[in-house]
Amino acid sequence: MDLAIRCGGLVKKYDRVTAVDGLDLSVRRGECFGLLGPNGAGKTTTVEILEGLLQPTSGDVEVLGMRWARDERALRQRLGISLQETHLPDKLTVEEVLTLFRSFFDTGRPVGEVLDLVGLSDKRGSWTEKLSGGQKQRLAVACALVSDPELLFLDEPTTGLDPQSRRQLWDVVLGFKSRGRTVLLTTHYMDEAERLCDRVAVVDRGKVIALGTPAELIASLGGQQVIEAQLDGAVADGELSALPGVHRLSRAGGTVSLAVEKLHQTLPALLSLAQSRGAALTQLSTHQATLEDVFVTLTGRQLRE
Amino acid sequence: MRTDPLWQLTLARLRMFFREPSAVFWTFGFPLALSLALGVAFRNKPPDPVAVGVWSGPDASGSRRVVEALRGTNGIEVREYYGPSTRDLSTGKIALFVRPGERLEYDFDPTRPESRLAREMVDNALQRASGRADVLRTMDHPVAAPGSRYIDFLIPGLIGMNIMSGSMWGIGYVVVEMRTRKLLKRLMATPMSRAQFLWSFVLMRAAFFFLELPLLLLFGWLAFGVGVAGSLVLLVALSLLGAVAFAGLGLLVAARAQNTQTVSGLINLVMLPMFIGSGVFFSTARFPGFFQPFLRALPLTALNDSVRAVMIEGAGPRAVAGEAGLLAAIGAVSFALALRLFRWR
């Protein structure tokens, strides 16, 4: 299979902390691959190693069939990179920033075209300090797109943005992918991963703990629906698991999550169990299973803790 | 569509600078304001008269004559005291105390040049008043040669100081700010050439320099009539060497610093000794001989001394070769060191 990124046994140790702890990844050409995990899971460290900005303590990295130690110059020409946090120069206009970045690459797209693509054409003459958070982020992505890269890295592209800005950025990413290009993005938003990613690696404590398409990962829960409840009283986990149609049970804090096949089957049984024990049901909600439930099931923690 | 990256980087540097009004003021306005203020404060005045005290004792006959004689002498201000001594001498209000009598007695502190001068002036005046004839005929020609005024000393010093602080702040501070804002890291994620990145700073400094230098020279000439005695080409060449030396030092202080506070401290640490010891506002000759070798080794001393020699004395290339060599060496060494130490992320 034609791989855009392949890395094996990746380890990055700092003085006391192991940020990446034996991580393996294979990203296919033409797919949008997501690294999903909470803050501090090692996503950014992993991505910066793949981008050739950090040296791994050990492990093997191949990007577009090349290696950083040997082919840095050629690789840099073919990658588009947007870091988690970059303050572009305040007193340059949008167009000037983009022209500057364009000048570093041998090939690329016209600045005007990229501005259209990210919807900043009417801001081309504004200083970057006057842009909103969403516009700044789109400009950062534009700086990564201006070289018309084969492989695009986006590190938490929509963190802290309003819903409208997020959707605009999603469209930019989907448009890039539709031209057959490869994207690797990190996020701690499950909806973003579900919307954009063909495949997702769930990362926790520097390791991949689950890998698959969003649908596969959700299906691995066994049920398509999730019941979340807070039960005040003596109801054992074993009894909850034994309710009809329950595939998995997990606890995060005081809340019990049940992955179930059919709500109409499990919900009445749950209510009558609570009633028969005299257990107070202080909170009850249901939703379609998401990647968040996958993460909670795998780690017993929320994504955004 | 693609434009040259070095040109784009330099252009970006220049745009960012000129869109920051305070930076423009500190680079261009401040040195002019400073030279105007200092030039006015230290303008040439007729020499102050020397204050001399006279004991107007009870036998007024002798002291009256002394006071009259001194009042008629140029450059002496006479104060009368009604006692045989006064504290005004030890506090410096008068330079000399005269006690007339059978024999003239002078009280003064011989370590004060002003007092020694006063003694000679008073003694001369009184001897003449008592009939001493000068044997030799003399004629005085007051001289105010261009180049001997304070402003003539100051303008070359300000040129040197401007080159130093412009390079140190304009490079050192800006680079570290880019590092803290992760902009350096972002640039490293592109194929941008590191050498071109550093060169863009040098080119920016050179571009400014061709604005700063004429501005200060023209101002000095129009406001105070400060001219350039030597070759203008040599003056520009020396200043460029100075700019390169300080650009290297600017990169060096910025090589490792992780935040702007650290780099500000480092810049001040480097510049402060040179502000004082390199002859910007007063001559390095005021420091004791022990310090001279150290002061000579400072880049700003070399720059100031050579620029001054060209502007005031009209020195040629040979006379300033030593200073030029020192500047070039400091530039080369600090560049090489900065490149080796530079932290790009």
Side-chain angles (χ1 to χ4, degrees), chain A residues 14 23 26 46 50 55 59 69 95 120 152 157 163 197 203 211 213 228 257 275 281 295 302:
Chain A
Y14 294 101
L23 191 138
S26 298
T46 303
L50 299 178
Q55 283 284 330
E95 190 172 15
L120 285 175
L152 178 64
C197 297
V203 181
L211 176 73
T213 67
E228 286 183 328
S257 296
Q275 196 170 27
L281 195 58
F295 187 81
Q302 305 281 334

Side-chain angles (χ1 to χ4, degrees), chain A residues 135-173:
Chain A
Q135 289 166 338
K136 276 184 186 153
Q137 195 57 35
R138 276 184 279 150
L139 177 58
V141 173
C143 289
L145 288 176
V146 77
S147 63
D148 200 19
E150 284 171 54
L151 170 58
L152 178 64
F153 288 97
L154 298 173
D155 195 357
E156 306 213 347
T158 67
T159 297
L161 297 189
D162 60 278
Q164 197 199 342
S165 300
R166 296 182 69 204
R167 238 165 284 129
Q168 280 174 322
L169 259 174
W170 289 354
D171 289 341
V172 172
V173 175

